[in-house]
Amino acid sequence: MSDERIPLLRNIKPKSYTMKQFAMLFIAWQLLSSHAGYAQPVIREFNVLMPDGVRLYTRAGLPEGEGPFPVVLLRTPYNINQHQYDLEYFTARGYAFVMQDVRGKYMSDGSFTPFINERADGLEMVDWIERQEWFGGELFLYGSSYQAYSSMVMADSERESIRGIFNNSGWIDNNQIIHFNGISHIMLNIPWLYMFDATREMRRPSMPFTAMLNHLPVADSMRELGVDGSLWDMGDGLFRLDQTFEYDKWQAPVFHLTGWMDFTHPGTLKIFEKLHALNVPQHLVVGPWQHDQVFTRGAKVGDYDAGEVAVFGRDSVLSLASGWFDRIRSGEPIMPEIRLFNMFGDKWVRLCPGKSILPRPESFHAYLGMGGALTDEPEMQGAGHSLHSDPMDPVPTIGGANVHFIHEFLGIRNHLPKAERADVLGFYSRPAPGEISFTGRPETILYVESDAPDFDLVVQLVKTDSLGQYVYNITENAFRLSYLLEYGQEKIRKSGNAGYEVRLDLGWTSFSLAEGERLGLLISGSNFPKLERNLHTPDENHAASTGEAATIRILTGGNTSSAFRFNSFTVLP
């Protein structure tokens, strides 16, 4: 597909496209991707030999013609047969498409341990492709989720043949995905490992996912389910599961596609920020979507439907990817481009090029005050707010950027039942005098203390109406005290005799308030079953079988005035 059909991928000058025009492009992409009349590709099958003798099943689709061809590589643990459509799409556009079952999966030999072998096996595949007579010297890496991870862990290899990457819902640093500042993301970790770890094909669950998550101790969860998973047995070692990746060696231009309600989007944005500082050519699109948008055409996430302006699906993803690769092959310069969907405003916003992800001076600063108010000034002598946290009666997960295979917890949902709980603190701004749009990076500065040896805090940014009929989630983060003290010293410092100051980044976001709506924070000691419960005992939490209630205090007033800041990005008109 020519670059002319993908205006997003051109060097867009300021004001060259209105937001309405951009929204219409999303619909047009669907119409530009019909597969009618595709020529059948030439299919070749291989068992590619790895240095240790393991053979990986590989299928290559070659376009019509003599070649050689530019090549797109996809490596997956989810069965290459899901991607025959992708193969036909790319070969119809002149690309050879090579797809491979990763080690230990489906038709490949060996045993599968998540993440561990993807860089080494992937680079062997690059070597193998470079030796093929039909390889034209240009290799492009493509995939979503784990497939994107498998691609990007090779990006610091300085291979000249790797010309570009399309990252759909991918990450490199597993710590951005598997835990929240030390709190295990069990609603992802346990079901995903159950389905895919230590098995050649996907293991079908024999019980509801929610039942899997209740077991204590958490360390025995996989064995209780009858799974001998080596990765899960690492326990807290999962938090240190990260490969030494050298971002300063990344050369290939990369297109990032993710969604606000996609649980992987913090990992995608971390890559974007790292490469932005290094001036690597990048485009970024963040929609309202859930995880793995390549298989989800709609724009409804939970109770929120973003409408036709955000409808996006497989053909849209493939259109963007092929257009991105065409753009790179054309040799024209690639300027930074950032498009974010504004939730509740139902519109797309564009950040300015250059250093656009550096926030302006904060546009909103408020203090946590008496009566659940976000106030302009700190209290002189604040009494603080006490929070009861009982791991045997945890605060329930209602919505959020959560896993797509437990749909009832996914997306933007009414958190009013949570906001009304006695063990949840709520703080709210004054009503908006008119529509207000926010695009930026919120954070909290919390002064906290507790009678427990360890505790968690969960902070959600929400919006609510003046009548108290709904409380909708926007973004969130959480932390475990013991983890920050050991691994996150840049986020925490001692404050007074018993307390701590904790800076909690709530990540990128873009949303709008309507007239009369209020911005709010919900603060609690748990978010279960999304996150592992803190049992508030001196024992190793992962191995503990029972828990105790704790009191957590959020301090306000004087030199310990807990606060909320919204650091705005510069949005182009």
Side-chain angles (χ1 to χ4, degrees):
M1 182 172 291
S2 70
D3 191 42
E4 286 303 310
R5 297 166 73 181
I6 312 290
L8 174 62
L9 302 179
R10 290 190 239 131
N11 294 340
I12 301 178
K13 298 181 175 63
K15 299 185 181 180
S16 61
Y17 284 92
T18 67
M19 294 300 101
K20 182 176 180 181
Q21 289 171 325
F22 180 68
M24 293 304 296
L25 290 174
F26 272 77
I27 301 171
W29 286 332
Q30 307 292 324
L31 304 176
L32 292 173
S33 303
S34 170
H35 284 223
Y38 277 12
Q40 288 299 308
V42 176
I43 302 297
R44 296 183 182 178
E45 296 178 291
F46 308 90
N47 286 302
V48 179
L49 183 66
M50 296 291 107
D52 61 355
V54 169
R55 294 182 181 273
L56 304 185
Y57 176 72
T58 304
R59 186 183 301 162
L62 305 182
E64 286 187 321
E66 294 296 324
F69 310 105
V71 175
V72 176
L73 173 64
L74 177 145
R75 304 182 64 251
T76 179
Y78 302 127
N79 192 342
I80 63 171
N81 290 329
Q82 294 187 32
H83 296 282
Q84 187 66 25
Y85 185 86
D86 303 6
L87 182 150
E88 294 174 5
Y89 189 99
F90 277 104
T91 55
R93 286 158 175 76
Y95 290 85
F97 190 83
V98 178
M99 51 187 180
Q100 182 179 77
D101 288 328
V102 302
R103 177 183 296 253
K105 283 296 183 181
Y106 294 89
M107 296 180 68
S108 287
D109 297 341
S111 58
F112 176 66
T113 301
F115 310 117
I116 301 302
N117 298 301
E118 305 314 342
R119 176 180 166 82
D121 287 352
L123 290 175
E124 288 294 330
M125 273 305 299
V126 172
D127 291 342
W128 181 86
I129 290 171
E130 290 175 345
R131 296 194 297 268
Q132 305 310 302
E133 61 182 11
W134 37 264
F135 176 58
E138 296 176 301
L139 178 62
F140 298 93
L141 306 180
Y142 169 78
S144 65
S145 192
Y146 192 102
Q147 304 156 3
Y149 168 87
S150 298
S151 295
M152 291 188 295
V153 291
M154 300 187 287
D156 65 345
S157 63
E158 299 182 295
R159 299 294 182 94
E160 292 185 3
S161 61
I162 299 177
R163 295 289 314 284
I165 299 172
F166 189 86
N167 165 30
N168 180 12
S169 298
W171 66 94
I172 293 173
D173 183 358
N174 283 289
N175 288 300
Q176 296 290 309
I177 307 301
I178 64 175
H179 69 96
F180 286 69
N181 291 302
I183 313 173
S184 180
H185 186 182
I186 60 172
M187 196 161 72
L188 166 67
N189 299 339
I190 291 177
W192 191 88
L193 289 173
Y194 174 82
M195 289 189 290
F196 297 107
D197 192 13
T199 180
R200 185 162 297 281
E201 299 186 4
M202 189 178 84
R203 185 183 287 109
R204 302 291 177 179
S206 58
M207 66 179 71
F209 285 125
T210 49
M212 297 179 180
L213 307 176
N214 282 305
H215 184 76
L216 291 176
V218 173
D220 292 341
S221 297
M222 300 307 292
R223 281 184 290 274
E224 184 72 12
L225 294 166
V227 177
D228 183 16
S230 58
L231 197 67
W232 183 252
D233 288 341
M234 292 175 66
D236 285 352
L238 281 170
F239 301 158
R240 294 178 287 280
L241 180 64
D242 190 18
Q243 304 188 39
T244 303
F245 188 88
E246 299 178 88
Y247 285 94
D248 59 348
K249 293 184 177 180
W250 188 309
Q251 298 173 342
V254 56
F255 193 115
H256 305 281
L257 181 70
T258 189
W260 296 128
M261 293 297 119
D262 184 337
F263 67 91
T264 68
H265 83 261
T268 297
L269 292 175
K270 178 178 178 179
I271 299 169
F272 180 85
E273 290 175 345
K274 289 278 192 180
L275 299 182
H276 184 84
L278 296 168
N279 296 315
V280 174
Q282 298 183 95
H283 283 189
L284 171 68
V285 173
V286 185
W289 313 302
Q290 65 183 54
H291 184 59
D292 217 358
Q293 190 62 26
V294 68
F295 294 118
T296 310
R297 186 180 183 277
K300 192 173 189 295
V301 281
D303 297 336
Y304 173 57
D305 191 337
E308 286 297 313
V309 294
V311 168
F312 211 72
R314 191 167 196 165
D315 280 337
S316 302
V317 173
L318 288 167
S319 178
L320 277 179
S322 61
W324 180 245
F325 299 155
D326 290 346
R327 179 77 173 79
I328 294 168
R329 296 188 69 213
S330 74
E332 297 179 20
I334 298 174
M335 300 300 293
E337 182 69 23
I338 306 171
R339 300 272 185 173
L340 309 178
F341 190 79
N342 183 272
M343 296 181 292
F344 307 110
D346 301 344
K347 61 187 177 183
W348 291 91
V349 297
R350 183 161 54 101
L351 303 190
C352 71
K355 297 300 181 183
S356 56
I357 62 171
L358 297 178
R360 301 189 317 234
E362 63 207 29
S363 60
F364 184 88
H365 186 135
Y367 295 92
L368 281 58
M370 296 293 292
L374 290 174
T375 62
D376 294 334
E377 299 292 336
E379 299 173 9
M380 295 298 294
Q381 297 288 335
H385 301 265
S386 292
L387 180 67
H388 182 76
S389 179
D390 184 353
M392 311 319 289
D393 181 23
V395 176
T397 301
I398 293 180
N402 296 333
V403 293
H404 51 304
F405 40 78
I406 310 182
H407 197 265
E408 62 264 35
F409 297 128
L410 175 64
I412 295 174
R413 297 183 183 270
N414 191 350
H415 279 57
L416 185 60
K418 177 182 286 190
E420 293 177 338
R421 285 178 61 110
D423 54 357
V424 176
L425 297 177
F427 300 89
Y428 300 96
S429 69
R430 293 188 298 269
E435 181 175 334
I436 304 175
S437 290
F438 294 86
T439 298
R441 191 169 200 154
E443 66 173 340
T444 57
I445 302 93
L446 300 176
Y447 294 89
V448 295
E449 61 184 20
S450 177
D451 60 1
D454 194 16
F455 64 89
D456 299 346
L457 270 187
V458 179
V459 180
Q460 291 180 297
L461 181 64
V462 299
K463 75 165 192 172
T464 183
D465 66 322
S466 57
L467 300 177
Q469 295 177 328
Y470 59 79
V471 178
Y472 286 129
N473 55 297
I474 298 169
T475 186
E476 66 186 59
N477 203 352
F479 70 87
R480 177 159 291 171
L481 176 69
S482 58
Y483 179 85
L484 290 188
L485 290 174
E486 185 169 359
Y487 300 108
Q489 291 90 346
E490 74 282 1
K491 302 175 184 177
I492 188 171
R493 69 181 180 89
K494 201 77 172 66
S495 175
N497 295 327
Y500 297 91
E501 177 194 293
V502 178
R503 289 181 173 266
L504 190 62
D505 177 15
L506 298 182
W508 292 35
T509 189
S510 182
F511 64 94
S512 291
L513 296 181
E515 181 178 355
E517 290 185 324
R518 295 183 293 161
L519 200 59
L521 296 176
L522 299 182
I523 303 177
S524 61
S526 55
N527 185 8
F528 182 80
K530 178 175 182 172
L531 303 179
E532 174 192 12
R533 292 167 284 180
N534 193 317
L535 301 177
H536 305 135
T537 70
D539 302 327
E540 186 75 27
N541 201 77
H542 208 60
S545 298
T546 187
E548 301 174 2
T551 298
I552 306 167
R553 286 183 55 77
I554 310 297
L555 306 180
T556 59
N559 294 325
T560 56
S561 295
S562 295
F564 168 72
R565 292 176 181 169
F566 195 98
N567 303 300
S568 291
F569 296 154
T570 300
V571 175
L572 292 175

